[in-house]
Amino acid sequence: MKEERLLTVLGMIDDTFVEELYRSEEERPSNPVSKRKIRVYFLVAAIILLLAACGVKAVAILEENWFPQYFSEKYRDDAEEMISENQRELLEQGLVPIGQSVTCNGYTLTLESALSDGYRSFLKFRLTAPEGVDLDGARYNLEGLSQITHADGKEIEFSMEGGDEYSLPDRKDPDNTVAILYESSVVPQTDSAEKMKLGTVWNITITNVYEYAIREDNAEQYYDLRKEISGEWSFHFTFDENTLLGQEQEILEDPIYCLGKRILWERSFPVIVKITSYKIRAFGATLRFEMPLLGVWEGVEHGPVFIFLKDGTVVEGHFRAGFNRGDYWENNYEFPIPITPEDISYVQFPGGLKVFLTDEEK
Amino acid sequence: MDDQQIIELYWNRSESAITETAARYGRFCYHIAYRILANREDSDECVNDTYFRVWEVIPPTRPNLFSAFLGKITRNLALNRYAFQTAEKRGGSQIPLALEELGDCIPGGRAPEQVAQDRELAEALNRFLRELSAENRKIFLQRYWNLMPVKDIAITYGISQSNVKMSLMRTRKRLRNFLEREGIWV
């Protein structure tokens, strides 16, 4: 394999490099001064200064309409008011106004605001190019790294399942700015892994911004990379008790049994799947089911779960990630719009079983 | 006993050279082997192989920095052992054994063109490493030469794990661009 060869040939590099490595280890003091503490003090000071200087409230007023507009446009293209008052309130409650700006190589990247329900997060950036440089790409992608830590300094291990960027052209903005949404799923890798919670500090560094243009070829649309903007834009912010939308609602009081499919290659066989839990959050849901006894090459599929809202909207969760937790299987789904339990009429499980959330609906 | 004294023991063909090496660097070599093999017995055997290999090459070799010299040998032996074990898992237990036995009757080691290609790649890596800053070079080599976990690298240099990951990501990207520019395909 190529990787193995590279690893092996690295063993043939000049001795001077290896000696440099070990010499520096020998010279290193036994207890290096922790830069982490210094960073924490710096972080606190920076946040205080930022709060005083920028006026977080002002940012909040500017930002509060952006996310409702985003979810509306993403879910229904032409409607005027697509989300309910409850959904709008939810978005306002979870909005973390940030307003941190960093300029690098003439490009200013501003982390304007963030939203998270603990599993799925939305970071809204604004990119501003130097005067005279238009940002008229069809899409912008961000590349970088995230580190999420609890208030006690413990780092959260998580899998960045995807990291979709969604750029909304702000029609009234100048030509040299564009809003970019960075969406990611922060799914705990193990059952005992730390989840995002109150006081979670998020450090994110963006190193590249890619601008794409649309090319049409035989009526098909393709995204072509047009420009790569390199730099280093670092941000940090905290989800506090007022902003992290961490509440989950269990829909099932007792396990339910649904018809599913055992899949073997291209063939499938009916099987009963025992669903033990279905928890709904603001931006997604987690479904747990017991894995039936399977053959070596077999997999199991259960049908889709639909959420019927009181206004007639039907929402289907988009599958994001599945985990084998040992005793049970866990699938994570994402909703195209934010959901509050108050808006739900009932949840329909595979096979048509309906679970109503309020007594009067039954 | 310092490194120079241990090396002198090897030159004098004193068997206490191995005892002294084990006392001073046994744990160090074990860590390197264990990071690759993740198995106690295999790592112990690999460390023992390291001592015998050192015994074979000193003299005539006189290493500049004994720890680096030992580390390099341990790493290469552990990678060989790892490759053998991986092949064993892939092909059933008898195939690698048979291949190893047949290897006794094949002169030399790898094919000359393979050796030349590896040497060319190693030279390119040397040029690339010289271009890097000392800090980025050390982080890169700790990860991919020494196979040290990111967390340990962060502790070693007193920086955050995200800084380590960032440095590694950039260096990998630069290496890819460098190899493409040089027309070298791994």
Side-chain angles (χ1 to χ4, degrees), chain B residues 1 5 14 17-18 32 42 58 85 94 119 122 125 147 163 174:
Chain B
M1 185 172 282
Q5 290 171 319
S14 165
I18 290 177
I32 293 174
D42 287 339
I58 306 178
Q85 288 172 342
Q94 290 307 309
R119 195 170 295 142
L125 288 172
L147 299 164
N163 282 353
R174 284 184 66 177

Side-chain angles (χ1 to χ4, degrees), chain A residues 5 7 15 20 208 232, chain B residues 72 75 137 170 173:
Chain A
R5 182 173 171 230
L7 201 65
D15 286 348
E20 177 190 54
N208 285 301
E232 184 169 318
Chain B
K72 197 168 179 177
R75 179 186 188 274
R137 182 167 56 232
R170 285 184 181 149
K173 199 173 171 183

Side-chain angles (χ1 to χ4, degrees), chain A residues 231-249:
Chain A
E232 184 169 318
W233 300 271
S234 296
F235 308 93
H236 39 257
F237 59 95
T238 305
F239 287 104
D240 63 26
E241 67 272 18
N242 296 317
T243 52
L244 184 72
L245 301 169
Q247 297 82 8
E248 288 183 312
Q249 172 140 353

